[in-house]
Amino acid sequence: MTNLMRILIVDDEPLARTRLAALLGECDAAEVVGSVGDADAALAVCAEKHPDLLLLDINLPGVDGTTLARRLAAMPHPPQVIFCTAYEQFAVQAYDLAATDYLLKPVRLERLRHALQRVQRRGPPSAVQRPNLNVRLRDEQRRIALDDIYYLLADDKYVTVHHRDGEALIEDSLRQLEQSHGAHLLRLHRNCLVPIQRLLGLKTLADGQVVARLAGTDFMPEVSRRNLPALRKWLRED
């Protein structure tokens, strides 16, 4: 982890977010990179800005904080999590989720500083390596980090990688990519894979077609009927 700790605040109460941001302003080497009120927005910020730490409320609208923590843990480069909640009864669950700390509201400055010190002592997840894809770009070979990728679309014999800096071609098939990076990719359709941290949710259109909402892009790829049950189950459980 860098000397400057990049922190995302996730709480559905604006006043709570404001108070946490003010407290962080009193802490050394703490930078707030985002302040959001729900899990979808948190996943979008994580996919784009890769914070080191989330200060995470448990009682969120829609997807709750513990479910969000499970989804974050599946990312190639997961941030640490400190739960900030008014409820004591979730402490055991937070321990099971390997949270770095558990703060009760109202959060006190000295307690927050102590929690941030624990984050620094734990450091980044050294056992987790950032997966890459080898791609071809203008007849050159290069690597693209998996968490910089929005989605992968198959067309004829190539797969187009849509990523943060544009597009690139890869000769591996989607099936080969699933075999080599299956822990980090989800199948939406026979011609589409997405990194798991990009999937925010599913949307049903007026004609009954289901599409996926992805972090970092307005493109919403089609979801096949075959893959729909598994994706819905993943969104519920993870």
Side-chain angles (χ1 to χ4, degrees), residues 39-40 43 63 66-76 181-188 194-202 212-215 223 227-238:
D40 280 5
L43 286 169
V63 176
T66 56
T67 303
L68 174 59
R70 292 189 187 95
R71 294 185 65 179
L72 293 171
M75 295 173 61
H181 299 283
H184 306 298
L185 295 170
L186 290 172
R187 170 79 70 164
L188 300 188
V194 298
I196 56 176
Q197 75 271 18
R198 291 287 173 185
L199 182 62
L200 296 179
L202 304 174
R213 296 186 295 109
L214 305 179
V223 174
N227 292 289
L228 184 57
L231 291 171
R232 282 177 171 162
K233 184 175 185 293
W234 187 88
L235 287 168
R236 286 196 305 268
E237 295 184 354
D238 293 334

Side-chain angles (χ1 to χ4, degrees), residues 74-124:
M75 295 173 61
H77 194 67
Q80 293 190 53
V81 170
I82 294 175
F83 283 112
C84 301
T85 177
Y87 305 99
E88 295 182 359
Q89 64 266 33
F90 296 107
V92 173
Q93 192 173 4
Y95 175 80
D96 291 340
L97 292 170
T100 304
D101 211 332
Y102 189 91
L103 305 182
L104 289 175
K105 295 179 179 178
V107 176
R108 304 301 180 189
L109 177 58
E110 288 307 313
R111 183 67 180 87
L112 177 61
R113 284 174 170 162
H114 176 73
L116 296 182
Q117 290 172 357
R118 294 190 66 181
V119 173
Q120 291 174 329
R121 288 196 297 269
R122 177 178 287 192

Side-chain angles (χ1 to χ4, degrees), residues 88-194:
E88 295 182 359
Q89 64 266 33
F90 296 107
V92 173
Q93 192 173 4
Y95 175 80
D96 291 340
L97 292 170
T100 304
D101 211 332
Y102 189 91
L103 305 182
L104 289 175
K105 295 179 179 178
V107 176
R108 304 301 180 189
L109 177 58
E110 288 307 313
R111 183 67 180 87
L112 177 61
R113 284 174 170 162
H114 176 73
L116 296 182
Q117 290 172 357
R118 294 190 66 181
V119 173
Q120 291 174 329
R121 288 196 297 269
R122 177 178 287 192
S126 57
V128 178
Q129 295 184 349
R130 200 178 186 208
N132 297 284
L133 292 184
N134 294 316
V135 303
R136 191 179 69 202
L137 184 63
R138 301 185 189 90
D139 296 324
E140 295 181 1
Q141 295 291 324
R142 58 173 290 193
R143 291 182 178 180
I144 297 179
L146 198 63
D147 51 5
D148 286 339
I149 293 171
Y150 299 129
Y151 55 95
L152 303 101
L153 284 180
D155 182 19
D156 295 329
K157 66 176 182 178
Y158 293 108
V159 170
T160 303
V161 181
H162 297 260
H163 58 95
R164 191 185 305 275
D165 297 320
E167 299 178 4
L169 294 178
I170 189 169
E171 294 183 354
D172 291 346
S173 68
L174 293 184
R175 183 179 297 275
Q176 289 172 320
L177 292 171
E178 278 186 308
Q179 292 173 348
S180 57
H181 299 283
H184 306 298
L185 295 170
L186 290 172
R187 170 79 70 164
L188 300 188
H189 195 276
R190 60 180 176 81
N191 67 347
C192 184
L193 293 173
V194 298

